[in-house]
Amino acid sequence: MWGCGAALAMILAAATPALAQQRVFDVPAQPAVTAIPQFARQAGLQIVAPADRLRGVSTPALKGALDARAALRQLIAGTGLAILSDSGGVIVLGFPPAGAAPAGAADPSPTALETVVVTAQKREEAAQTVPITLTAFSGRALDAYRLDSLRDISRLTPGLLVSAFNYSSPTIAVRGASNTFTQIGANKPVAVVVDDLFIPRNSAASFELFGLRSVQVLKGPQGTLFGRNVTGGAIVIDTGKPAFGETSAMARGETGNYGLYRADALVDAALGDRAAVRLAGSIKVHDGYGRDRLTGAEEDDLDSRTLRAQLRLQATDTLEALLGADYNEDHNGGRTLSSKAAGSDGNRRTSELGFPQDFARNQWGASARLYWSAPVGEVTSVTGYRWSQSGEDYAGTGASYTFLTGTSSQAVNRDVDRVGLFSQELRYASPKWDRGDFVAGVYFADEDAKRQLRTMSLAAVTGARVADVLTDQAVKTTSYAVFADGVVHLGEAFDLTLGARYTHDRKTASLNRTDFVRPATGSFAASDLKASWGEVTPRAVLTWKATPDARVYASVTRGYTAGGFNTDASSLTALTQPFNPEKVTNYELGVKSQWLGDRLRLNASVFQMDYKDKQELFFNGLTRVLTITNAAKATVKGVEVELTVRPTAWLNLMATYGYLDTRYDDFVIPGGADNTGHPLGSSPRNKGSLAADLHAPLASGYLIGAASWSYTDGYYTGATKDPNLHIDSYSLVNASLGYEAADGAWSVTVWGRNLADKDYVLTPSTQGVLAEYLGEPRTYGVTLRGRF
């Protein structure tokens, strides 16, 4: 294990006071739609402007050595444009409402809502201009509400549910789109994307969030621009990039109950005026929230370390390179699966497993992003590789065999996977013409995934092994895609967006199954099993710009989750029969609007998702085989609403609500149950939140703080509507309060999470005995932050 503490110290030592540097500009007089990107390249800044409102707007010539931001104010003087926000390394330009800051102002309106920049359409755009239903959190919001994980993100996001079966199998569901598959030959319907690179397995998707520019949750199928495995949506994590000519640093230290200590640091350092580096590191450690009372071992503890590095280079006036690498390792004592029956001591925070659980994971990634501003548009190349390895020893049955009787047994497992994914995307973005623009590209991915799963059953009372099976699984996946997506302006008020993607997937699978107890009947092997599929995923969106600050959009989109092999199969027949892609068509009507001088934001959508060939894992009562089959049709209907208000310059208020009505239209298990009419798993009917954060001026310094309340309705974890697999509704309250120095150089905050100490269930279990796995208890602590 590397010395992350020393690395953090080195990161902080690299920090020097921020210095403003002058750059040489030569921008001819021209239309603003081309002048602003040209200026951004010469300034080394990320600038987002409303291209659809720049028609007819021109900028004067700009020449000479100037400070970049002073030069920008000079460029847009007299155009009506203003700087709406300047944070997180991105400057957002726009036309301020009446009575707001004058054109070219150095600072945004003090009461305007924050503008979040997203990349949902493979361009940097303000979230409010994108005709996709999404929830976006800026780096400021992530920090204010202490959103440290995807589970935290889900509390304030309608339509998103993040839970966990165990540490190697988190549950990520968007609008009810999820599955319980752990096979290496199957995929999940929600993608997690970090800096344009897919996380190939959910076992690598639940990590600590820090030092980010934004997190974007895209709802509904995103098949046109993101490809396969996004039938439910995509979670896009943007780590940002360092700014040229600026040096700054941030450090944070934290301590709390359960032995918590945490240290984070992030440094941006200028290397001249055409290069910059970013270094970020994090350590987080806490004691267990639970323990195994038979072994005394801690459970649900954490020891996590992360490092990230970026090098940004302006190779020429038209070519920029962004090189990145990251590494993460974490481990703990596994989940606290507490028995509700045999052996239970009545304490929901203890387990009775008597089995040495453990989880350990390490992962790393490297990428090279090239941005070429060609004379006729922008060409982007994204080359990346991600690798992860995780291993977990866990008990599937919620009680030790010593508490069991009769023919029952305790199931224990060791699950190890190793996954490597190379990907290459090349895309072209046209200029923003008066009549429209488009993005087109090609994509290639090569994934090599291996998994070893050993499952044992220990007989009641004696602990003798009555079953012991090792499955050695391997799947290679090759995927090719070509896509195009563009918008046509139909006059001043309407836009028509049309796009399509063709994806070809090829999988090659092998399985070596060894039954140590019944080798003659339970062991078999097969290799070089091949299957391929081709899918077209189009989208069409009609947008009506009712006012400059209100847009109504209607869309039809398609997505699919890739086909595959059941590599956990207990028979050769179940292995050799692949299952086909799961497909969904989404119909959506939405509105994005801002009111009261950009102090109130109201976004809402209604949708219907129609599933075809839905992938399901079940026990076939006729063949007596557990397998994955395209067995179901389903419909998901819903409503999502987000309201944000900034009544004063120092207070932000937020409310969200999501409603889901999910139903299997046709799902009959051969020789078994009829699940037709049942709701989909992981789809709470009602989900909502209220939140507020403040930054109020005092006589000296600022009062800072945040509070949030979130509610999740009851839901089933699967399709069977088993009352023992139902999670009851619950609500959580988090809060923080602190002081920040007048110059923002330091702050101290006290905080608490799950303040009511609510016992809420992540996963119920019926394997052998009734058991449950709870979420985090009440935690509290203090955080000290410094900026340099």
Side-chain angles (χ1 to χ4, degrees):
M1 185 170 64
W2 36 272
C4 195
L8 287 180
M10 293 174 62
I11 289 172
L12 287 177
T16 58
L19 298 174
Q21 296 188 12
Q22 290 192 334
R23 299 176 70 89
V24 177
F25 295 96
D26 186 5
V27 182
Q30 58 188 299
V33 72
T34 56
I36 292 172
Q38 184 178 354
F39 172 86
R41 291 193 298 271
Q42 295 183 17
L45 297 172
Q46 293 175 263
I47 302 177
V48 177
D52 60 336
R53 298 184 62 190
L54 295 181
R55 280 172 275 178
V57 178
S58 296
T59 59
L62 180 71
K63 192 168 186 176
L66 295 165
D67 170 74
R69 283 168 174 77
L72 177 59
R73 292 193 293 273
Q74 183 175 324
L75 180 74
I76 64 177
T79 63
L81 286 165
I83 299 174
L84 300 185
S85 70
D86 184 357
S87 64
V90 180
I91 297 175
V92 179
L93 302 180
F95 294 92
D107 299 304
S109 170
T111 57
L113 288 165
E114 181 180 25
T115 299
V116 183
V117 175
V118 300
T119 54
Q121 298 187 126
K122 301 294 184 177
R123 292 181 185 265
E124 291 188 334
E125 303 170 285
Q128 284 298 104
T129 67
V130 177
I132 295 173
T133 301
L134 59 87
T135 300
F137 297 91
S138 67
R140 185 206 65 81
L142 295 170
D143 183 61
Y145 292 110
R146 300 183 54 81
L147 305 180
D148 297 332
S149 67
L150 294 184
R151 195 180 302 168
D152 293 338
I153 296 288
S154 73
R155 306 293 185 214
L156 303 182
T157 303
L160 174 65
L161 177 76
V162 178
S163 186
F165 172 75
N166 57 11
Y167 281 93
S168 57
S169 300
T171 300
I172 304 176
V174 176
R175 294 178 172 177
S178 182
N179 62 46
T180 58
F181 311 157
T182 60
Q183 291 87 338
I184 205 76
N187 295 98
K188 297 291 186 178
V190 177
V192 178
V193 182
V194 179
D195 289 341
D196 280 330
L197 299 184
F198 282 87
I199 301 294
R201 296 282 294 174
N202 269 17
S203 58
S206 56
F207 44 81
E208 293 292 312
L209 305 178
F210 78 100
L212 304 180
R213 189 176 94 173
S214 69
V215 175
Q216 310 153 37
V217 182
L218 316 183
K219 284 86 168 283
Q222 307 295 322
T224 302
L225 292 171
F226 287 87
R228 62 197 182 108
N229 306 331
V230 285
T231 50
I235 300 174
V236 179
I237 299 173
D238 184 353
T239 65
K241 56 185 176 181
F244 292 132
E246 298 181 6
T247 296
S248 62
M250 178 278 291
R252 176 175 62 177
E254 188 169 276
T255 185
N257 63 336
Y258 291 98
L260 169 70
Y261 73 84
R262 176 176 179 170
D264 301 336
L266 185 149
V267 171
D268 286 346
L271 306 176
D273 62 355
R274 300 178 72 87
V277 65
R278 169 172 291 180
L279 300 174
S282 176
I283 303 172
K284 185 176 182 181
V285 177
H286 66 71
D287 297 335
Y289 298 141
R291 65 178 179 87
D292 187 331
R293 64 186 183 87
L294 302 185
T295 66
E298 287 188 286
E299 298 167 326
D300 291 312
D301 55 325
L302 178 66
D303 189 343
S304 174
R305 289 158 170 77
T306 301
L307 278 179
R308 291 201 309 264
Q310 287 183 336
L311 176 63
R312 184 183 180 193
L313 300 170
Q314 190 73 52
T316 70
D317 288 342
T318 60
L319 179 63
E320 179 183 317
L322 185 62
L323 310 178
D326 64 86
Y327 178 84
N328 167 258
E329 64 177 34
D330 56 309
H331 62 84
N332 60 55
R335 63 177 180 168
T336 309
L337 183 65
S338 182
S339 176
K340 298 170 66 176
S344 174
D345 66 347
N347 185 344
R348 302 173 77 183
R349 294 286 178 187
T350 62
S351 68
E352 298 78 24
L353 304 176
F355 177 73
Q357 296 192 133
D358 181 71
F359 172 76
R361 172 180 61 187
N362 59 81
Q363 57 181 310
W364 62 270
S367 65
R369 286 176 278 175
L370 303 178
Y371 307 95
W372 176 37
S373 297
V376 290
E378 184 170 278
V379 178
T380 301
S381 170
V382 182
T383 307
Y385 183 80
R386 293 211 63 87
W387 184 89
S388 68
Q389 174 180 285
S390 71
E392 184 166 16
D393 297 285
Y394 68 96
T397 303
S400 166
Y401 63 84
T402 59
F403 295 116
L404 304 180
T405 59
T407 59
S408 59
S409 61
Q410 181 187 13
V412 296
N413 309 277
R414 175 163 178 75
D415 192 349
V416 178
D417 67 26
R418 299 176 182 86
V419 185
L421 174 65
F422 170 81
S423 62
Q424 172 66 57
E425 181 170 281
L426 186 65
R427 62 179 182 260
Y428 165 78
S430 74
K432 298 277 190 175
W433 297 306
D434 286 347
R435 297 301 301 272
D437 61 88
F438 70 92
V439 175
V442 293
Y443 177 80
F444 169 77
D446 186 27
E447 179 183 324
D448 187 2
K450 295 181 174 64
R451 182 189 187 211
Q452 287 188 330
L453 175 65
R454 187 165 187 173
T455 59
M456 295 183 289
S457 295
L458 309 180
V461 182
T462 66
R465 284 188 300 166
V466 293
D468 188 353
V469 175
L470 173 66
T471 57
D472 195 342
Q473 315 168 19
V475 175
K476 292 182 178 291
T477 303
T478 304
S479 182
Y480 308 84
V482 58
F483 62 90
D485 188 81
V487 59
V488 177
H489 302 308
L490 306 177
E492 295 291 331
F494 290 92
D495 286 344
L496 178 63
T497 302
L498 297 173
R501 185 185 191 107
Y502 173 76
T503 305
H504 180 81
D505 297 322
R506 183 175 69 245
K507 289 190 176 184
T508 303
S510 65
L511 173 63
N512 188 347
R513 187 179 194 272
T514 304
D515 190 325
F516 296 102
V517 176
R518 302 173 184 82
T521 58
S523 298
F524 62 86
S527 61
D528 204 32
L529 302 173
K530 298 181 182 294
S532 60
W533 304 269
E535 295 292 337
V536 176
T537 49
R539 80 162 177 157
V541 187
L542 181 64
T543 303
W544 172 40
K545 292 173 282 189
T547 72
D549 295 314
R551 297 170 183 242
V552 179
Y553 58 95
S555 65
V556 181
T557 56
R558 287 196 64 194
Y560 79 100
T561 300
F565 292 91
N566 178 14
T567 49
D568 280 358
S570 59
S571 73
L572 192 59
T573 301
L575 171 66
T576 56
Q577 181 61 49
F579 53 90
N580 289 321
E582 168 185 288
K583 305 170 188 177
V584 65
T585 302
N586 181 58
Y587 307 91
E588 192 139 359
L589 179 66
V591 59
K592 293 187 174 184
S593 62
Q594 294 196 161
W595 308 87
L596 304 178
D598 291 344
R599 291 186 298 164
L600 185 149
R601 179 180 298 150
L602 177 62
N603 296 340
S605 64
V606 295
F607 58 88
Q608 176 172 317
M609 301 170 64
D610 294 334
Y611 281 90
K612 179 183 178 183
D613 295 329
K614 195 170 190 313
Q615 298 166 359
E616 297 290 344
L617 173 69
F618 59 82
F619 183 79
N620 188 314
L622 301 180
T623 63
R624 314 301 295 174
V625 172
L626 180 71
T627 191
I628 301 174
T629 305
N630 299 97
K633 295 181 180 179
T635 301
V636 175
K637 300 177 182 179
V639 177
E640 292 168 355
V641 181
E642 297 186 12
L643 175 67
T644 309
V645 184
R646 192 173 190 184
T648 71
W650 50 268
L651 179 64
N652 292 288
L653 305 174
M654 179 173 66
T656 71
Y657 174 71
Y659 171 82
L660 276 178
D661 180 9
T662 66
R663 184 182 188 276
Y664 283 102
D665 300 318
D666 183 11
F667 183 16
V668 179
I669 297 175
D674 183 354
N675 293 323
T676 302
H678 289 185
L680 276 63
S682 300
S683 58
R685 183 173 289 265
N686 298 285
K687 192 170 181 291
S689 68
L690 298 172
D693 71 89
L694 62 86
H695 190 266
L698 302 172
S700 175
Y702 297 89
L703 179 68
I704 58 175
S708 66
W709 170 86
S710 62
Y711 173 80
T712 302
D713 212 349
Y715 62 93
Y716 295 94
T717 59
T720 60
K721 210 173 178 179
D722 182 344
N724 293 314
L725 295 177
H726 182 268
I727 293 178
D728 292 337
S729 62
Y730 60 90
S731 59
L732 300 175
V733 177
N734 300 335
S736 65
L737 189 66
Y739 172 82
E740 181 182 86
D743 60 359
W746 63 272
S747 65
V748 60
T749 305
V750 294
W751 51 267
R753 302 164 68 96
N754 188 8
L755 288 176
D757 202 19
K758 175 70 175 179
D759 286 343
Y760 63 99
V761 176
L762 295 177
T763 295
S765 174
T766 58
Q767 187 173 359
V769 300
L770 296 181
E772 60 186 1
Y773 174 32
L774 298 185
E776 297 87 343
R778 177 171 53 219
T779 56
Y780 51 85
V782 60
T783 301
L784 178 64
R785 180 192 306 274
R787 299 184 183 276
F788 309 91

